[in-house]
């Protein structure tokens, strides 16, 4: 980093705060942040918009929702006791099990009494004089905190496309990312699903056998491959427990936060017959192994990628009975992993159910939503229920909707008008004492592994500030510019194309900027080591002139 020495100032005048740390969001990252900050002795309050714990895993409770990273690699690894006492029944746990787990963690570590639910943030204003944040919520509460940690997640603002008449539909509408907690009665209903991303392709096979008729509206076919879920057998449970430390070590050293072993051969090192045999092994491998353990050039060499795509296309043709439906389900506009690939259970098979049909929106686009159903170029189909599986305002969606105002009233949405600018995917210049773990520029793989790294760093930083009597921390513009430049430059090497929502492409008007961490975990670890080793020289740190009373823990 080419940042100046830290500025040590007598700056802000310290006012009493309600809490040292205000965490926003009770998802996987926010829960862990609450735990770590409490453990470090800070008074902490966590505010959550939802009515319960889980974040993404609270809201996305649609039928079929489940992990596609292995349960034990997605879960918390900070406590061996927690790991040993919780048995995941399946390699890829389903949503109710995940929600149970997160509630268990909250209760086991006595975190619930520091949480308030149904509290949507309406504004978060930084006061330069006192170096504190004042945060207002939809239920009329106001909290002042020294540090604001927005663990608001990347997939937390459901996106509805602008389709004429959407509000005029006379039946029931649900977004997969805002699925009701009360059961939705799908039995015997005529249901439409719009969207075939990871959510759509999970919900479709899950409800196909239950509804009277299911019509899938697909604009872009996806390269779906099997999740290959399975129960975790007693012997495997015992092995997982015995190998806990080694597994954690491997995950901590891995680039993307997975356990899958890398392959050592490139695609055209093998004959076609050997290649197809290897692809068969990949097809039968669990989840992301198809990316992580596949041929080494899969994501780099277009010809290699095309071979794997041809193998998948053959599979689709062999599974789907109707050749015309199979043709529509085979992507023709992007390579494998150019968009985030979904992993499925019974997805292609669902189209062999006579009650399931596919509408190709390239051939017959949606004209409007009518009171009775969906009108496409070839007429109206009538429905009782429409499921919008149309994705999210990824990465920045929640942060720019919270009314965050930094130094001099600077609005975060204005600071990021051309795309997010961050340091470590955690800090942004002009917003002292604000941290946003698990936000833009944070992860590029198994999210909790990255976000946990960020939470650990933030907690260490809070302790560093406290130990030295600093009250405010703000990243230097040069450090922010350098990290953002690294992200943007590295984005060119990412397998994801600019049409991916990882570039904001799904939301009209959103800047086309890379929203993941193109440096991966190694870059994050190196930059954090640099921050610590250089005594936080990438930051401006200030001390209060007046000391206030230490608040009692909330
Ligand atoms: O959202 P998406 P998602 N008319 O943006 C279509 C995670 N996740 O909720 O491709 C018609 O991927 C859009 O079509 P197109 C995971 O990270 C994980 O499915 O833009 N269709 C697309 O098909 C995932 O990547 C799991 O042409 C329209 C779909 O809506 C992320 O969440 C499970 C449209 C949106 O797909 C988001 O997945 C689920 C329109 N106007 C999700 N606008 C796990 O397994 C959009 N679409 C862990």
């Amino acid at each position: 980093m080419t940042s100046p020495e830290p500025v040590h100032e007598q700056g802000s005048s310290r006012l009493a705060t309600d809490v040292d740390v205000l965490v926003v969001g009770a998802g996987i990252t926010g829960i862990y942040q609450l735990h770590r900050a409490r453990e470090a002795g800070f008074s902490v309050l966590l505010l959550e918009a939802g009515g319960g714990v889980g974040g993404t895993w609270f809201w996305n409770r649609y039928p079929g929702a489940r992990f596609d990273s292995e349960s034990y690699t997605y879960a918390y690894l900070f406590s061996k006791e927690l790991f040993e006492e919780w048995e995941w029944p399946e390699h890829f746990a389903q949503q109710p099990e995940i929600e149970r787990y997160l509630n268990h963690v909250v209760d086991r570590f006595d975190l619930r009494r520091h949480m308030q639910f149904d509290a949507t943030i309406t504004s978060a204003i930084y006061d330069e004089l006192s170096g504190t944040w004042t945060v207002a919520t939809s239920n009329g509460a106001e909290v002042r905190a020294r540090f604001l940690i927005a663990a608001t997640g990347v997939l937390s603002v459901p996106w509805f496309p602008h389709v004429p008449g959407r509000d005029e539909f006379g039946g029931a509408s649900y977004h997969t990312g805002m699925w009701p907690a009360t059961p939705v009665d799908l039995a015997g209903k005529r249901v439409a699903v719009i969207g075939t991303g990871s959510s759509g392709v999970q919900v479709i096979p899950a409800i196909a056998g239950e509804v009277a008729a299911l019509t899938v509206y697909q604009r872009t076919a996806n390269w779906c491959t099997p999740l290959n879920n399975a129960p975790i057998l007693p012997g495997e449970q015992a092995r997982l427990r015995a190998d806990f430390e080694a597994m954690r070590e491997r995950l901590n050293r891995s680039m993307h936060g997975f356990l899958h072993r890398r392959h050592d051969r490139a695609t055209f090192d093998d004959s076609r017959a050997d290649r197809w045999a290897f692809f068969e092994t990949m097809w039968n491998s669990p989840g992301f192994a198809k990316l992580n353990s596949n041929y080494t050039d899969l994501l780099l060499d277009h010809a290699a990628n095309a071979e794997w795509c041809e193998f998948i296309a053959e599979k689709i043709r062999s599974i789907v009975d109707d050749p015309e439906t199979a043709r529509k389900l085979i992507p023709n506009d992007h390579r494998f992993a150019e968009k985030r690939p979904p992993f499925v259970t019974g997805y292609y098979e669902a189209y062999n159910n006579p009650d399931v049909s596919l509408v190709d929106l390239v051939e017959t686009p949606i004209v409007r939503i009518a009171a009775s159903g969906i009108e496409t170029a070839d007429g109206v189909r009538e429905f009782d229920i429409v499921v919008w599986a149309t994705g999210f305002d990824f990465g920045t969606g929640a942060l720019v909707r919270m009314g965050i105002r930094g130094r001099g009233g600077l609005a975060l949405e204005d600071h990021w008008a051309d795309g997010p600018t961050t340091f470590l995917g955690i800090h942004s210049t002009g917003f002292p004492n604000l941290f946003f773990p698990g936000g833009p520029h944070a992860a590029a793989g198994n999210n909790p592994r990255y976000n946990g790294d960020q939470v650990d760093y933030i907690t260490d930083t809070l302790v560093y500030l406290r130990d030295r009597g600093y009250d405010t921390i703000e990243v230097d513009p040069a450090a922010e510019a350098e990290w953002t430049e690294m992200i943007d430059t590295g984005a060119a090497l990412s397998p994801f194309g600019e049409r991916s929502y990882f570039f904001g492409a799904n939301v009209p008007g959103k800047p086309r900027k890379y929203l993941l961490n193109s440096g991966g975990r190694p870059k994050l670890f190196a930059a954090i080591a640099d921050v610590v080793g250089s005594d936080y020289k990438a930051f401006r740190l200030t001390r209060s002139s007046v000391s206030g009373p230490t608040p009692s823990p909330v």
Side-chain angles (χ1 to χ4, degrees), residues 431-451:
F431 300 86
N433 292 3
L434 170 69
F435 307 83
F436 41 88
H441 301 174
N446 199 3
N447 275 359
R449 303 279 65 84
Y450 285 82
N451 304 353

Side-chain angles (χ1 to χ4, degrees), residues 7 43 86 93 117 193 265 301 336 370 380 410 530:
V7 183
S43 62
W86 185 269
F117 298 100
V193 173
R265 292 176 74 75
D301 182 306
F336 180 81
V380 178
L410 178 64
D530 194 35

